[in-house]
């Protein structure tokens, strides 16, 4: 077994943050398998693209032959699985890709990882890890006074996205229980930070506010999410990979529950200071309530005492500091923004918000 990890979906938002952090802090090499869907962007990894410890492979996780040959060729000590269709609204419009990548793709990885792992010498078998990166959305929706999601909360997914992630989590669990494949699962709350594709709430609001476009808040804007700065999530994943016991799952969250309207108002008020000459100021004048998302989960909140207790992890960033860093990043990366907000992105925005 080599000192290499195989990452899937490393050209997306969290995957690219993970690889950048990994290359800065760890010694193992990285092979990044990504299909480069609309959400995958190799520019995110430009600064490490010529590093000899990094290799990109363009391909689909569903293709078992490809996955199997990468495992054989690179002999990784871990597989870190980010690749997914990740946007709830897109899953409502067209669930097919969610089933293919999130369910079938995870199944392909598990089958190929199992075949590879069985062939390893005993010591290497014990050291190998399959880390499955999942979401808190598998637990469904909380009422205002409900206790936050813990690792033992029953699964109750409500969107095609969360149902497909739940299915993949169950497969991962079964591969540990049935075959003893050394799996780890993490269920994380909403991430935000650099490189997030601007179909998601925070980057969409930052970019729309700067250009004087409407800020579309679904329903009454009182849906609650628990926000985590992406670099804190990546640190948690490195910790779980290093110290997590096979078969375990860990909830990861920021301890920053906020309703959507509050998020949008915070973004607007920071932009009022940073960009007093934008087309519409104060930026909050752009807030527009639009039709609610069908099946819209009301509240997510994470109990992350397990990872704090067992692994000693805690988020470093508060929402206050993380959102400032994030806004600054988007303002300073105009070329990245211009590239991702052309083409298929425009079509999505036009069709989704037109109805
Ligand atoms: P993303 O949509 O930004 O990136 C997904 C990446 O996967 C892209 O690079 C895409 O090209 C790649 N991909 C898609 N289908 C593929 C396939 N069939 N084969 C190979 N690559 C493929 O997603 P993200 O926000 O970075 O999320 C990463 C993971 O973390 C996902 O599994 C998601 O469910 C989970 N997660 C995300 C959040 C969040 O707030 N973004 C929170 C909790 C968990
Ligand atoms: P999103 O970033 O899509 O993440 P998720 O659905 O996985 O939580 O949305 C976060 C919250 O913001 C969610 O309650 C839906 C809401 N939202 C809006 O109000 N307007 C928007 O334009 C978007 C994209 C999301």
């Amino acid at each position: 077994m080599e000192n290499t990890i195989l990452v899937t979906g490393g050209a997306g938002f969290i995957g690219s943050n993970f690889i950048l952090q990994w290359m800065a802090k760890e010694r193992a090499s990285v092979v990044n398998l990504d299909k480069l869907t609309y959400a995958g962007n190799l520019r995110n990894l430009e600064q490490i693209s010529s590093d000899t410890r990094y290799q990109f492979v363009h391909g689909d996780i569903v293709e078992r032959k490809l996955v199997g040959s990468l495992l054989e060729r690179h002999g990784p000590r871990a597989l870190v699985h980010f690749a997914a269709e990740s946007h709830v609204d897109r899953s409502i419009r067209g669930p097919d890709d969610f089933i293919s990548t999130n369910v079938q793709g995870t199944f392909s990885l598990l089958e190929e990882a199992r075949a590879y792992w069985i062939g390893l010498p005993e010591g290497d078998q014990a050291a190998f890890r399959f880390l499955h990166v999942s979401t808190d959305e598998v637990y469904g929706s909380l009422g205002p006074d409900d206790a936050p999601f813990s690792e033992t909360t029953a699964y109750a997914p409500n969107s095609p996205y969360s149902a497909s992630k739940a299915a993949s989590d169950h497969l991962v669990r079964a591969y540990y229980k049935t075959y003893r494949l050394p799996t780890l699962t993490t269920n994380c709350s909403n991430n935000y930070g650099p490189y997030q594709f601007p179909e998601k709430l925070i980057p969409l609001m930052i970019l729309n506010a700067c250009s004087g476009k409407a800020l579309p808040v679904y329903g009454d804007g009182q849906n609650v999410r628990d926000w985590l700065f992406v670099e804190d999530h990546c640190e948690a994943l490195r910790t779980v990979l290093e110290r997590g016991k096979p078969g375990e799952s860990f909830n990861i969250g920021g301890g920053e529950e906020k309703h959507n309207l509050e998020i949008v108002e915070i973004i607007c008020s920071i932009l009022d200071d940073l960009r007093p000459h934008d087309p519409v100021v104060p930026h909050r004048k752009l807030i527009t309530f639009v039709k609610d998302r069908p099946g819209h989960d009301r509240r997510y909140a994470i109990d992350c005492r397990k990872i704090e207790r067992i692994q000693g992890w805690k988020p470093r960033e508060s929402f206050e500091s993380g959102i400032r860093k994030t806004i600054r990043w988007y303002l300073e990366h105009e070329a990245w923004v211009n590239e991702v907000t052309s083409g298929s992105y425009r079509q999505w925005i036009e069709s989704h918000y037109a109805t």
Side-chain angles (χ1 to χ4, degrees), residues 9 11-15 33-37 39-40 59-61 82-86 101 133-135 161 165 188-191 196 200:
F13 164 48
I14 304 174
L33 170 62
D34 197 295
K35 188 181 174 182
L36 297 181
T37 67
D60 192 330
I61 57 166
F82 294 95
E85 288 295 333
S86 70
T101 289
V133 180
S134 191
T135 169
Y161 164 65
K165 291 296 289 188
C188 188
S189 63
N190 286 59
N191 283 218
Q196 187 166 30
K200 303 279 169 69

Side-chain angles (χ1 to χ4, degrees), residues 14 18 80-82 130-139 151 155 161 165 168-169 172 183-189 191 228 233-241 244 247-253 302 306-307 311 313:
I14 304 174
F18 178 84
V80 185
H81 176 31
F82 294 95
F130 184 111
L131 171 55
H132 174 59
V133 180
S134 191
T135 169
D136 60 354
E137 304 195 23
V138 296
Y139 299 119
E151 288 78 3
Y155 275 36
Y161 164 65
K165 291 296 289 188
S168 66
D169 291 13
V172 171
T183 62
L184 294 160
T185 298
T186 54
N187 295 89
C188 188
S189 63
N191 283 218
L228 177 68
H233 183 191
C234 295
E235 284 208 359
L237 294 174
R238 290 196 296 118
T239 310
V240 168
L241 194 55
E248 296 257 15
S249 72
F250 294 91
N251 282 0
I252 305 171
I302 282 271
K306 180 177 175 188
I307 188 172
Q311 314 280 3
W313 172 88

Side-chain angles (χ1 to χ4, degrees), residues 86-89 135 137 161 190-191 196 198-205 215-219 221 223-225 227 260 264 290 293 296-298 300 352-353:
S86 70
H87 188 33
V88 174
D89 295 320
T135 169
E137 304 195 23
Y161 164 65
N190 286 59
N191 283 218
Q196 187 166 30
E199 66 188 352
K200 303 279 169 69
L201 180 75
I202 288 183
L204 182 87
M205 294 298 165
L215 305 179
V217 173
Y218 297 163
N223 302 68
V224 172
R225 299 290 184 263
W227 293 93
N260 295 337
V264 179
V290 300
R293 170 189 282 173
H296 196 174
D297 287 337
R298 195 63 174 167
Y300 303 145
H352 180 60
Y353 292 98

